[in-house]
Amino acid sequence: MGTDIAGLWQPLAALTLASLAVMGTPGPSTISLTAVGASFGVRRSLAYAAGLIAGTTAVLLAVAAGVVALVTSVPHGALVLGVLSAAYILYLAFRIATAPPLDRRADAAAAPGFLGGFLLAIANPKAYVAIAAVFAGTTVFAGAPGLDAMVKTALLSVMIVLIHLCWLLAGASLSRLLRDPVSSRRINLALAAVLLAVTAATFIA
């Protein structure tokens, strides 16, 4: 039994590293969270981050249950998801690019909320591809597919939370610069441009 437990560390470590390499790399979801965190600060971005985490976890559960294969098998199913994701990202990029300096924002100014993050996450084509690749690429319990799926789902759920929080904090670290009007405009425009570029690269790929 001890040998079996010790032998779990290798596939679990491989799964963790794979999730960091594939799910943690820049994509529409993570870049949008960084931009929102920079533009609105941590506190006002938490609802959006929670929506992204919930939506990405829903994608993970769909992958584990085989629902993704069903959705993508529907004619134009993947295309519809892509169009919805692109439309929201265009709106989000506009909001980020036109956001005023932090000192000039009223507390009542609406930051992107939970629903926006959730919808972007479930319509994000990179999420399906990345999570499916990580989920299928590692086997923890070869002889127990049910247990294997449960363990991978639990570990990847934790990684989804940690990865998104890291990107949020990375964006929030720029908030000090966003109090200066000139720096704010440059950074917001740059973040919006990066968000659009990453999204375009995701669709082209």
Side-chain angles (χ1 to χ4, degrees):
M1 179 65 70
T3 303
D4 292 340
I5 294 176
L8 293 178
W9 287 108
Q10 184 174 355
L12 289 175
L15 183 62
T16 302
L17 291 175
S19 67
L20 286 173
V22 178
M23 296 163 54
T25 53
S29 177
T30 51
I31 292 297
S32 73
L33 182 56
T34 300
V36 170
S39 298
F40 296 95
V42 172
R43 181 178 61 84
R44 296 172 62 199
S45 302
L46 286 176
Y48 182 71
L52 285 174
I53 290 171
T56 307
T57 304
V59 172
L60 169 61
L61 295 175
V63 169
V67 176
V68 171
L70 178 62
V71 173
T72 55
S73 67
V74 175
H76 309 300
L79 178 61
V80 171
L81 288 175
V83 170
L84 292 175
S85 175
Y88 184 75
I89 287 171
L90 286 173
Y91 165 75
L92 191 60
F94 173 78
R95 289 280 307 278
I96 292 167
T98 57
L102 285 175
D103 283 346
R104 297 183 182 178
R105 296 174 199 172
D107 289 338
F114 179 91
L115 183 59
F118 182 82
L119 292 177
L120 174 58
I122 63 174
N124 176 15
K126 180 181 184 292
Y128 293 89
V129 176
I131 292 175
V134 173
F135 197 89
T138 304
T139 300
V140 179
F141 294 98
L147 179 60
D148 182 67
M150 289 176 59
V151 170
K152 290 192 292 186
T153 299
L155 178 59
L156 292 179
S157 295
V158 173
M159 293 304 299
I160 287 170
V161 174
L162 294 178
I163 287 170
H164 280 84
L165 288 180
C166 286
W167 280 98
L168 172 59
L169 293 176
S173 67
L174 299 173
S175 60
R176 180 178 59 85
L177 298 175
L178 293 177
R179 298 183 186 279
D180 174 68
V182 176
S183 297
S184 175
R185 179 60 57 217
R186 291 175 178 173
I187 292 174
N188 283 338
L189 289 173
L191 288 171
V194 170
L195 175 59
L196 292 176
V198 169
T199 303
T202 298
F203 280 101
I204 292 174

